[in-house]
């Protein structure tokens, strides 16, 4: 099966002109974004990309959208504060090939014929990642939504553009340059990072990844790049086994990869300490032109695929702090990208509280949704040991 997906070891490079063409497509929608908007979001639920019983299902984005509507966190209920980006174009092959090999892009497109004939195919050694007959088309649309958000934010006049949120799937941060991995097809956040650089001249990009699993695909894309800082918190020992503290980048990129594996059982206190003592200082030191966030919600205590114990309140505080950080370092330029999160209730409530954290006048509703009875004591001694070690490695 792997030969059909065209997996090779190196990523192709995209010409700036092709990225600029995508920018021009998205610019048509940017004019509808009010300068008063605080959040600009898009959605690409990939309804056809689905396997019955698989945790990365087509119910994920609709569950989030229903909760946003119920919580009155939509343009219809909030007026100019929240905007929705619609009718965006799929990414081009050249856009995706800024991160992935062109042979992989062509191979996935070609594999759609087999997926249509078989109904569902699995990619050998990908952890497990499946494909249906619509996977290529819907993955290109997800990447296109990511690019359109970047383009739209860059077109907004004024000192405070809205924060972007790409409610898209399939997720992306495990997808390596040569192929898919870990439920992920195309590296949406990595593709957006390259697009921000090539289409908009933003030299330095800072990526925060707070998914419970290490974003190995994003790391691989930028491991030797001094202009993209990849900062990941994740559960120590979890899939895919990468993300060790001593993985700091190589050659010109040495020092621009930061991995903070947290002990199992780490929760709200651990994450807020990591945010304050590691993530924020690293970003202030790097001085990026844009901040991108791989927003995974599978570190929630109720998520079935790992054993951290974040709460809805954790995601509210992450969003609020990241918003303020973006305002301080890069004129508010920031886009979130949906990654993991497989308990639909926890996922949808946490994304809604993320939206509240991104609004200047909204308070968290976590006290109404979080259940303290499911929490247990955090391994704070181990957390402190990890934070002390990573601060020494990166001179923070």
């Amino acid at each position: 099966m792997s030969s059909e997906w065209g997996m090779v070891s190196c990523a192709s490079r995209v010409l700036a002109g092709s990225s600029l063409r995508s920018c021009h497509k998205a610019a048509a929608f940017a004019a509808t974004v009010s300068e008063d908007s605080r959040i600009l979001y898009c959605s690409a639920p990939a309804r056809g990309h689905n396997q019955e019983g698989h945790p990365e299902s087509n119910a994920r984005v609709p569950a989030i959208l229903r909760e946003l509507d119920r919580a009155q966190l939509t343009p219809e209920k909030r007026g100019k504060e929240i905007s929705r980006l619609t009718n965006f174009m799929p990414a081009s092959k050249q856009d995706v090939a800024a991160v992935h090999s062109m042979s992989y892009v062509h191979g996935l497109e070609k594999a759609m014929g087999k997926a249509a004939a078989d109904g569902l195919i699995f990619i050998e050694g990908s952890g497990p990642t499946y494909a249906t007959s619509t996977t290529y088309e819907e993955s290109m649309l997800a990447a296109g939504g990511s690019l359109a958000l970047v383009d739209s934010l860059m077109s907004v006049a004024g000192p405070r553009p809205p924060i972007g949120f790409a409610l898209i799937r399939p997720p992306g941060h495990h997808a390596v340059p040569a192929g898919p991995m870990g439920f992920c097809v195309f590296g949406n956040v990595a593709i957006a990072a390259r697009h921000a650089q090539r289409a908009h001249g933003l030299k330095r990009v800072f990526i925060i990844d707070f998914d419970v699993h290490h974003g190995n695909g994003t790391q691989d894309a930028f491991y030797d790049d001094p202009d993209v800082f990849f900062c990941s918190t994740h559960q120590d020992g979890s899939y895919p086994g990468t993300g060790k503290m001593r993985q700091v980048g190589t050659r010109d990129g040495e020092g621009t990869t930061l991995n903070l594996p947290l002990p199992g059982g780490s929760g709200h206190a651990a994450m807020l300490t990591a945010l304050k003592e590691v993530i924020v200082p690293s970003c202030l030191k790097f001085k990026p032109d844009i901040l991108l966030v791989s927003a995974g919600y599978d570190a929630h205590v109720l998520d079935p695929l790992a054993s951290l114990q974040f709460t809805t309140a954790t995601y509210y505080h992450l969003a609020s702090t990241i918003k303020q950080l973006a305002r301080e370092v890069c004129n508010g330029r920031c886009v979130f990208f949906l990654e993991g999160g497989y308990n639909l209730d926890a996922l949808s409530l946490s994304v809604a509280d993320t939206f509240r954290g991104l609004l200047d006048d909204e308070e968290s509703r976590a006290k109404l949704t979080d259940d303290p009875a499911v929490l247990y004591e955090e391994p704070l001694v181990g957390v402190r040991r990890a934070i002390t070690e990573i601060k020494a490695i990166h001179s923070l």
Side-chain angles (χ1 to χ4, degrees), residues 125-149:
S126 66
T129 309
Y130 65 85
T132 67
S133 61
T134 63
T135 293
Y136 174 79
E137 177 185 358
E138 291 178 320
S139 298
M140 294 296 275
L141 185 63
S146 304
L147 304 186
L149 281 177

Side-chain angles (χ1 to χ4, degrees), residues 223-387:
Y223 203 57
D224 61 355
D225 190 333
D227 293 324
V228 180
F229 195 113
F230 176 64
C231 180
S232 174
T233 58
H234 46 273
Q235 183 180 332
D236 192 12
S238 64
Y239 179 88
T242 53
K244 307 301 183 185
M245 284 193 190
R246 294 289 174 178
Q247 292 178 334
V248 298
T250 189
R251 295 190 290 275
D252 290 344
E254 184 174 354
T256 58
T257 294
L258 186 154
N259 289 304
L260 177 55
L262 296 170
S266 298
H268 184 78
M271 188 63 229
L272 294 195
T273 302
L275 183 64
K276 177 181 178 181
E277 297 191 23
V278 178
I279 298 174
V280 170
S282 297
C283 189
L284 293 173
K285 184 178 179 181
F286 187 68
K287 297 181 176 62
D289 299 306
I290 191 170
L291 207 165
L292 305 180
V293 183
S294 272
Y297 293 88
D298 42 5
H300 194 283
V301 64
L302 298 180
D303 196 273
L305 295 192
S307 58
L308 294 188
Q309 47 175 339
F310 291 10
T311 66
T312 304
T314 310
Y315 295 108
Y316 175 90
H317 286 286
L318 278 168
S320 179
T321 302
I322 290 170
K323 171 191 67 179
Q324 296 299 335
L325 180 62
R327 288 178 177 175
E328 182 170 351
V329 300
C330 54
N331 297 318
R333 291 189 287 263
C334 180
V335 183
F336 284 61
F337 302 79
L338 182 66
E339 299 286 1
Y342 307 105
N343 178 302
L344 296 184
D345 289 337
L347 170 65
S348 55
L349 290 169
S350 296
V351 172
D353 232 38
T354 298
F355 270 48
R356 294 186 185 101
L358 298 177
L359 294 169
D360 291 324
D361 59 348
E362 275 284 337
E363 296 183 355
S364 172
R365 303 287 177 86
K367 290 182 179 180
L368 302 177
T369 59
D370 289 343
D371 180 7
V374 304
L375 302 175
Y376 51 95
E377 186 176 357
E378 294 186 45
L380 294 180
V381 173
V383 170
R384 173 47 58 191
R385 186 182 303 117
I387 288 177

